[in-house]
Amino acid sequence: MFHPAWIPDSLDPSIDRLKRLRVIAGVIASLGVYTYVQGGFDIMELMENAMVASIVLLFLTPLTVGVMLLVWRRTGTVRQLRASLFNSFKLLVLFVGCVVGLVLLVQSESSSMGFLRSLVTALTSLWMAVFVVRGAVRVSGNFFGTAAVHRSLPALLATVTSWLMASWDLVTGDLHGLSLTMGIVFILGAPVTVTAIALLETSWLKRRYGIRLGTHPASLPPTPGPVRPTELPHVPPQQNPYDHPHPSTTVGHPYAPAPQNPYAPGAAGNPYAPGPQNPYAPHPQPPHRPQRPYGG
């Protein structure tokens, strides 16, 4: 659901692996701080942070894309990007809706519920939490499919979003129970790593494919898709040369067997096949005709 078919494949899988590793490291660090430093894991605080981050994404992503559209209008039109922009916005709204639904589902749990209702709500919340986490991993790589608009746009959006969230924590002084130094390191860890990966991705796109962030997507050179093992240009089509091909595929096949066995007795073109008659058999004598004295 969060990586539909219209999202283009990544041109460099190593960048995607770096993004996933960064997300996993961030989750482990956050759980460690929330669990051991603050004296206990508060699920409601985590849900509230997820809600705030989703609302920020809902407003910040269209704003950043709007600024880039103003930049791209110098070399192209917005109408050319309408379909991809609409698909990305739908994916963003869908993810934010799932996060909000999870938060409301967790908040609805109370001790006054019956056993059966509490069990169903708990199981649904657990399934929804796994669903949202997997969706977050997906959208962290493609950033709501904005790569369909411009290949460098996901890197820009991830950088802007991470720095805004970190700036809010620094301004409010929410160090999550850490000391001043460790709190600043913990808060700045996410935007610094996101920016480093984004710079690596944009520089690689610019150097290898000539993709620049300030250029309108319609003006960029076409980029080839990722090379798959089944689509290598230097490998010929693989087939068994000793297998009997289908009759419809024997035309023009240099290894296809002939229509008939050339070594069969009596076959045309067999130099070892016996002729139409035995060469060592006595030749039949012509019938004796009496000769006339003067010929005839």
Side-chain angles (χ1 to χ4, degrees), residues 49-157:
N49 292 336
M51 176 80 79
V52 173
S54 301
I55 296 175
V56 170
L57 284 174
L58 187 60
F59 289 96
L60 184 63
T61 301
L63 181 62
T64 307
V65 174
V67 173
M68 292 307 303
L69 290 177
L70 294 177
V71 176
W72 293 336
R73 285 188 62 182
R74 297 176 300 178
T75 55
T77 61
V78 180
R79 182 176 300 178
Q80 297 171 289
L81 310 174
R82 183 179 300 174
S84 54
L85 287 172
F86 184 66
N87 290 332
S88 300
F89 184 72
K90 287 192 300 183
L91 197 61
L92 172 63
V93 173
L94 176 63
F95 179 76
V96 173
C98 291
V99 174
V100 173
L102 175 61
V103 173
L104 296 178
L105 191 62
V106 172
Q107 291 179 348
S108 64
E109 298 181 8
S110 61
S111 57
S112 60
M113 292 183 179
F115 173 76
L116 182 59
R117 185 177 178 183
S118 299
L119 179 62
V120 172
T121 304
L123 292 177
T124 306
S125 301
L126 180 61
W127 182 89
M128 195 67 183
V130 175
F131 180 80
V132 170
V133 170
R134 293 193 63 182
V137 174
R138 288 288 189 178
V139 299
S140 66
N142 56 52
F143 214 93
F144 308 105
T146 50
V149 182
H150 195 290
R151 287 284 186 175
S152 300
L153 194 55
L156 174 65
L157 292 172

Side-chain angles (χ1 to χ4, degrees), residues 186-220:
F186 175 73
I187 292 174
L188 295 182
V192 169
T193 53
V194 168
T195 304
I197 296 176
L199 291 176
L200 178 63
E201 183 179 7
T202 53
S203 62
W204 184 83
L205 291 173
K206 177 182 176 181
R207 182 176 63 255
R208 184 163 185 177
Y209 296 103
I211 298 177
R212 300 174 182 270
L213 181 60
T215 305
H216 192 278
S219 304
L220 293 173

Side-chain angles (χ1 to χ4, degrees), residues 140-289:
S140 66
N142 56 52
F143 214 93
F144 308 105
T146 50
V149 182
H150 195 290
R151 287 284 186 175
S152 300
L153 194 55
L156 174 65
L157 292 172
T159 303
V160 172
T161 305
S162 61
W163 276 108
L164 181 63
M165 295 296 297
S167 301
W168 177 258
D169 288 339
L170 291 176
V171 169
T172 57
D174 187 7
L175 301 180
H176 306 285
L178 298 171
S179 62
L180 179 62
T181 303
M182 292 302 298
I184 293 177
V185 171
F186 175 73
I187 292 174
L188 295 182
V192 169
T193 53
V194 168
T195 304
I197 296 176
L199 291 176
L200 178 63
E201 183 179 7
T202 53
S203 62
W204 184 83
L205 291 173
K206 177 182 176 181
R207 182 176 63 255
R208 184 163 185 177
Y209 296 103
I211 298 177
R212 300 174 182 270
L213 181 60
T215 305
H216 192 278
S219 304
L220 293 173
T223 55
V227 179
R228 297 182 176 87
T230 57
E231 298 178 357
L232 295 177
H234 57 276
V235 178
Q238 300 297 313
Q239 55 184 342
N240 188 1
Y242 303 101
D243 191 15
H244 294 287
H246 193 270
S248 60
T249 61
T250 56
V251 179
H253 187 191
Y255 302 103
Q260 58 182 355
N261 188 359
Y263 301 100
N270 184 2
Y272 304 101
Q277 57 182 356
N278 188 357
Y280 301 102
H283 295 282
Q285 298 295 328
H288 179 72
R289 296 180 180 179

